[in-house]
């Protein structure tokens, strides 16, 4: 059973940083790609970042380029999202989601949607 568990959310001031973690289990980590998504109240779900586990290829939404970094720890089957210079527009529930190519891969991630999702972690940006 594929399981994804997010953690690391919380309250941070504007301009601050936060690191989210996605712990994966129940599948071959090296063969998958993981995307980070977020959704704020009243807004549509937005893809934030994607990483291919096998080769480390990454892709980002324009709204977070230069501020967010997705990286992985393959030995421990974890994917992280480092968020820097946070602003109130980043406030949302953040989810990690994963699937295996050809169903999901980062070179085409804006046109695809993974089939496995975590429970989400809340990020609040406020002074």
């Amino acid at each position: 059973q594929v399981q994804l568990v997010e953690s690391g959310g919380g309250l941070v001031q504007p301009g601050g940083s936060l690191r989210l973690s996605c712990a994966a289990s129940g599948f071959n980590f090296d063969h998958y790609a993981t995307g980070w998504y977020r959704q704020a109240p009243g807004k549509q779900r937005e893809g934030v970042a994607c990483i291919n586990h096998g080769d480390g290829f990454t892709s980002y939404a324009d709204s977070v380029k230069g501020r967010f970094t997705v990286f992985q720890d393959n030995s421990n089957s974890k994917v992280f999202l480092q968020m820097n210079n946070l602003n109130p527009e980043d406030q949302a529930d953040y989810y990690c989601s994963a699937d295996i190519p050809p169903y999901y891969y980062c070179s085409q991630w804006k046109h695809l949607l993974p089939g496995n999702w975590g429970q989400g972690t809340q990020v609040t940006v406020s002074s």
Side-chain angles (χ1 to χ4, degrees):
Q1 183 71 35
V2 174
Q3 292 188 346
L4 302 167
V5 180
E6 302 94 336
S7 62
L11 174 65
V12 63
Q13 294 183 336
S17 298
L18 207 61
R19 180 178 292 184
L20 306 183
S21 176
C22 176
S25 63
F27 63 96
N28 191 330
F29 186 82
D30 292 341
H31 294 173
Y32 276 67
T34 295
W36 283 97
Y37 296 80
R38 66 187 182 186
Q39 187 165 25
K43 296 183 179 180
Q44 294 182 335
R45 180 177 56 200
E46 177 186 21
V48 176
C50 186
I51 183 168
N52 291 337
H53 298 183
D55 59 13
F57 175 85
T58 59
S59 185
Y60 298 90
D62 290 340
S63 59
V64 305
K65 285 182 179 178
R67 299 188 299 118
F68 290 13
T69 303
V70 61
F71 61 100
Q72 62 185 351
D73 180 353
N74 289 351
S75 298
N76 294 293
S77 299
K78 290 185 177 181
V79 176
F80 302 91
L81 183 67
Q82 179 66 45
M83 304 184 294
N84 298 326
N85 194 25
L86 288 161
N87 60 65
E89 293 186 355
D90 297 316
Q91 180 168 304
D93 291 330
Y94 283 73
Y95 302 85
C96 63
S97 184
D99 217 331
I100 191 171
Y103 306 107
Y104 190 73
Y105 49 103
C106 293
S107 62
Q108 298 291 330
W109 73 297
K110 295 180 180 179
H111 308 288
L112 302 170
L113 194 66
N116 305 292
W117 294 81
Q119 302 85 358
T121 184
Q122 186 178 58
V123 173
T124 302
V125 184
S126 176
S127 60

